[in-house]
């Protein structure tokens, strides 16, 4: 490395930027593992029952109508029984008549007047390979009734309601998720139930519903990831209870009230019909319209899983590599030899591999234990490297202490998703402030260097010194001094 501290800082900064490359590839490996984990969770969840959305119940009343059409038929001679023809053209003669037939018309759909639903889930973990997938079993209870007087005003004059063929429809996301006994009661009487053709769900034949009071439905189903309900009642009151401690309430409506603890959660909703774009009675397929309405409910999430933590560790990794490089640069002064660039790169690669170690061990032993093992291995390796390879002597203990603080702060950042940005930015600011204080007396330009030889000297070598040339002095020689002024020369003729 160069002797100038300023240039050394610049070179170390360039090395820090180079560490973005291994951190980028480490983050890509983490992402690939995360996608593989999500695919596993999705596949196991679909096999168990998948995401569930309950839509209904709907009272469907078939309609028949009298349709009169004008038809024509050949005119028959009553005497001969032959088809009569026109005497001039020979064309067959036709006779027109009216025919009235009974056809099926669009059914009448009624939504419940009262709709109360109570959903209770029990979660369990399913394993596939090294991955754990949370799934649930749900017990659903519904109580509802219908205002059958709303059906008659929807009919035309030639239409008739087939009350004895009325049925109740309930849609689910997947029929294979239904488990246990499903039973629908009308005033204590059990109604026959059957799966719907071409759609997921089931129907119950009610007979004439005008004399019915309250209906009760009980069913069990499997599911994974989410449980949703569509608000179909004039007033919908839904309550959910679960032993899952990490709910994410989502959908068209958030709960009116909820309680979340380590043992599970409870939530309840009260939704009026004015809050949903569905008519209480209509001739169109209300179930199809209800499928377009966003349900509401809960998603069973795994908050802050170790893949998210490892990915954030890769994002924060450049900060902690920079702090480690800076620590080595500050404590190496006074050592025999400065740390070489290759040694800095080895230190950075070790810290880049840390996130991969953390993910690999977390898949086997959990995040906390994996973090402790990986951080401990990296700290021990870099401390010994500083002592033996960097020749830092006792200063290697300072490096080890700084690494302990760095990885302890990183754990706090990763463990708390809500305060990660606050902790990371505060730590970065404190690190910069400490660096400014530690280098307050640094001579960034380094010692002054003597001016080197010029280009001509380097090319042709040094030259011999030349003494200055002075004109010779000629002494004046005359007769011995007698004390008299010598006579002047006589003037010469010009």
């Amino acid at each position: 490395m160069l002797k100038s501290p300023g240039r050394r800082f610049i070179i170390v900064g360039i090395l820090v930027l180079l560490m973005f490359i291994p951190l980028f590839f480490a983050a890509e490996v983490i992402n690939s593992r995360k996608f593989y984990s999500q695919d596993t969770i999705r596949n196991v969840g679909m096999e168990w029952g998948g995401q569930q959305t309950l839509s209904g119940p709907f009272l469907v009343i078939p309609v028949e109508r009298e349709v009169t059409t004008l038809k024509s038929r050949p005119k028959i001679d009553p005497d001969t029984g032959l088809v009569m023809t026109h005497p001039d053209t020979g064309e067959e003669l036709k006779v027109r008549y009216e025919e009235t037939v009974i056809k099926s018309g669009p059914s009448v759909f009624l939504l419940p007047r009262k709709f109360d639903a109570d959903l209770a889930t029990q979660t369990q973990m399913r394993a596939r390979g090294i991955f754990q997938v949370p799934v649930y079993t749900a017990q659903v209870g519904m109580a509802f009734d219908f205002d059958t007087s709303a059906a008659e005003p929807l009919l035309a004059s030639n239409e008739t309601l087939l009350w004895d063929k009325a049925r109740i429809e309930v849609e689910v996301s997947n029929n294979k998720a239904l488990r246990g006994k499903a039973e629908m009661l009308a005033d204590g009487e059990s109604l026959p139930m059957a799966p719907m053709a071409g759609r997921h769900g089931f129907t119950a034949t009610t007979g004439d519903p005008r004399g019915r009071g309250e209906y009760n439905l009980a069913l069990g189903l499997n599911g994974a990831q989410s449980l949703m309900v569509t608000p179909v009642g004039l007033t919908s009151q839904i309550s959910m209870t679960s032993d899952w401690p990490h709910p994410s309430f989502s959908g068209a409506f958030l709960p009116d009230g909820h309680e979340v603890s380590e043992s599970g959660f409870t939530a309840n909703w009260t939704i009026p019909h004015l809050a949903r774009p569905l008519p209480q009675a209509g001739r169109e397929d209300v179930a199809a319209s209800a499928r377009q309405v966003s349900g509401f409910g809960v998603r069973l999430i795994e908050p802050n899983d170790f893949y998210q933590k490892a990915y954030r560790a890769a994002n924060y990794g450049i900060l902690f590599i920079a702090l480690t490089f800076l620590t080595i640069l500050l404590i190496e002064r006074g050592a025999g030899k400065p740390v070489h660039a290759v040694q800095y790169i080895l230190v950075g690669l070790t810290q880049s591999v840390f996130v991969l170690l953390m993910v690999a061990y977390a898949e086997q032993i959990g995040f906390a234990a994996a973090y402790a093992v990986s951080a401990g291995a990296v700290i021990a390796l870099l401390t010994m490297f500083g002592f033996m390879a960097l020749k830092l002597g006792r200063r290697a203990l300072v490096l080890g202490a700084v690494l302990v603080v760095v990885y302890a702060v990183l754990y706090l950042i990763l463990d708390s998703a809500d305060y990660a940005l606050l902790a990371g930015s505060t730590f970065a600011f404190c690190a910069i402030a400490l660096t400014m204080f530690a280098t307050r007396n640094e001579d960034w330009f380094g010692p002054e260097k003597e001016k080197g030889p010029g280009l001509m000297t380097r090319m042709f070598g040094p030259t011999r010194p030349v003494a200055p040339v002075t004109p010779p002095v000629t002494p004046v020689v005359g007769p011995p001094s007698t004390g008299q002024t010598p006579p002047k020369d006589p003037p010469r003729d010009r």
Side-chain angles (χ1 to χ4, degrees):
M1 300 290 288
L2 299 175
K3 293 184 178 180
S4 170
R7 293 180 179 177
R8 292 171 65 191
F9 264 80
I10 292 174
I11 293 177
V12 170
I14 295 174
L15 295 177
V16 170
L17 295 178
L18 288 177
M19 290 300 102
F20 271 111
I21 298 175
L23 286 175
F24 170 79
F25 287 106
E28 288 300 309
V29 172
I30 294 170
N31 272 336
S32 66
R33 294 297 295 179
K34 180 179 180 180
F35 293 149
Y36 180 53
S37 171
Q38 290 176 342
D39 287 340
T40 303
I41 292 174
R42 189 180 303 108
N43 293 335
V44 174
M46 288 299 298
E47 294 171 4
W48 181 254
Q51 303 182 37
Q52 289 298 324
T53 299
L54 298 175
S55 184
F58 311 103
L59 180 60
V60 183
I61 309 170
V63 174
E64 64 178 14
R65 59 174 61 171
E66 293 183 354
V67 179
T68 301
T69 58
L70 187 62
K71 293 187 175 182
S72 62
R73 62 188 176 193
K75 186 175 181 180
I76 305 297
D77 188 340
D79 297 330
T80 63
L82 299 176
V83 177
M84 299 179 63
T85 59
H86 194 279
D88 296 329
T89 62
E91 295 181 357
E92 293 184 353
L93 298 178
K94 301 288 186 180
V95 61
R96 294 182 180 274
Y97 68 99
E98 290 184 350
E99 182 181 57
T100 301
V101 296
I102 304 299
K103 292 186 176 181
S104 298
S107 300
V108 172
F109 291 83
L110 299 181
L111 272 65
R113 177 171 49 190
K114 180 189 78 170
F115 177 60
D116 297 338
D118 184 17
L119 300 93
T121 65
Q122 293 287 331
T123 57
Q124 53 182 291
M125 303 301 291
R126 294 279 167 165
R128 174 162 294 179
I130 62 174
F131 300 107
Q132 298 291 322
V133 182
V135 296
Y136 65 81
T137 57
Q139 297 299 320
V140 180
M142 295 183 182
F144 51 91
D145 61 8
F146 298 95
D147 181 11
T148 55
S149 63
E152 293 285 353
L154 300 175
L155 299 179
S157 59
N158 62 335
E159 292 181 327
T160 304
L161 290 168
L162 302 179
W163 291 105
D164 57 334
K165 295 183 179 179
R167 66 185 184 274
I168 293 177
E169 293 183 352
V170 178
E171 289 195 349
V172 296
S173 297
N174 200 326
N175 275 47
K176 72 178 183 180
L178 298 176
R179 291 292 186 275
K181 183 179 180 181
E183 186 178 32
M184 184 178 295
L185 302 176
D187 298 329
E189 178 187 350
S190 180
L191 302 180
M193 302 174 64
M196 288 192 293
R199 287 188 294 168
H200 291 293
F202 53 88
T203 65
T205 304
T206 66
D208 191 343
R210 289 175 292 184
R212 303 287 190 181
E214 184 176 85
Y215 297 85
N216 297 96
L217 172 64
L219 60 91
L221 53 85
N222 290 345
Q225 298 180 346
S226 69
L227 178 59
M228 300 288 179
V229 180
T230 301
V232 294
L234 191 66
T235 299
S236 301
Q237 294 184 337
I238 292 91
S239 63
M240 287 188 182
T241 59
S242 176
D243 59 351
W244 186 255
H246 309 297
S248 174
F249 301 107
S250 60
F253 306 97
L254 294 180
D256 300 328
H258 67 276
E259 294 182 2
V260 181
S261 64
E262 291 298 325
S263 59
F265 71 88
T266 60
N268 56 82
W269 293 259
T270 300
I271 311 298
H273 73 287
L274 297 177
R276 54 171 173 76
L278 290 176
Q280 198 64 23
R283 301 297 299 273
E284 299 178 356
D285 188 351
V286 180
S289 301
R291 286 193 292 270
Q292 306 301 322
V293 177
S294 297
F296 62 90
V298 65
R299 296 185 181 276
L300 307 181
I301 63 171
E302 187 74 39
N304 208 14
D305 65 89
F306 58 81
Y307 290 111
Q308 294 175 340
K309 294 176 181 179
Y311 188 76
R312 291 213 312 272
N315 291 335
Y316 281 103
I318 195 65
L319 171 62
F320 297 108
I321 290 177
L323 291 176
T324 305
F325 282 11
L326 182 62
T327 301
I328 295 175
L329 185 61
L330 292 177
I331 66 177
E332 71 165 351
R333 291 179 300 178
K337 289 183 179 180
V339 178
H340 196 273
V342 174
Q343 294 172 313
Y344 277 107
I345 292 176
L346 291 175
V347 172
L349 291 177
T350 302
Q351 292 185 293
S352 299
V353 173
F354 162 75
V355 293
L356 298 180
L357 285 175
M358 184 176 64
V359 170
Y361 283 104
E363 291 180 345
Q364 305 294 332
I365 61 177
F367 172 73
Y371 189 93
V373 170
S374 304
V378 170
I379 293 172
L381 177 61
L382 293 183
T383 303
M384 290 189 296
F385 185 72
F387 182 79
M388 294 186 297
L390 305 184
K391 307 300 182 181
L392 297 178
R394 293 183 178 179
R395 298 180 183 183
L397 299 178
V398 177
L399 174 61
V402 171
L403 290 174
V404 169
V405 174
V406 165
Y407 283 97
V409 172
L410 179 59
Y411 181 82
L412 295 178
I413 292 175
L414 300 181
D415 194 54
S416 177
D418 295 335
Y419 300 101
L421 179 59
L422 176 63
S425 58
T426 302
F427 185 68
F429 178 81
C430 293
I432 295 174
L434 183 61
T435 303
M436 295 171 68
F437 178 79
T439 59
R440 64 191 183 279
N441 297 323
E442 187 68 52
D443 183 7
W444 297 106
F445 294 98
E448 293 289 340
K449 297 180 179 179
E450 295 183 358
K451 189 174 183 181
L455 177 62
M456 299 299 294
T457 301
R458 293 196 301 269
M459 293 177 61
F460 302 105
T463 57
R464 296 180 180 179
V466 179
V469 178
T470 56
V473 179
T474 305
V476 178
V477 181
S481 175
T482 59
Q484 297 181 356
T485 302
K488 297 181 179 179
D489 294 335
R492 296 179 182 179
D493 296 335
R494 294 183 180 178

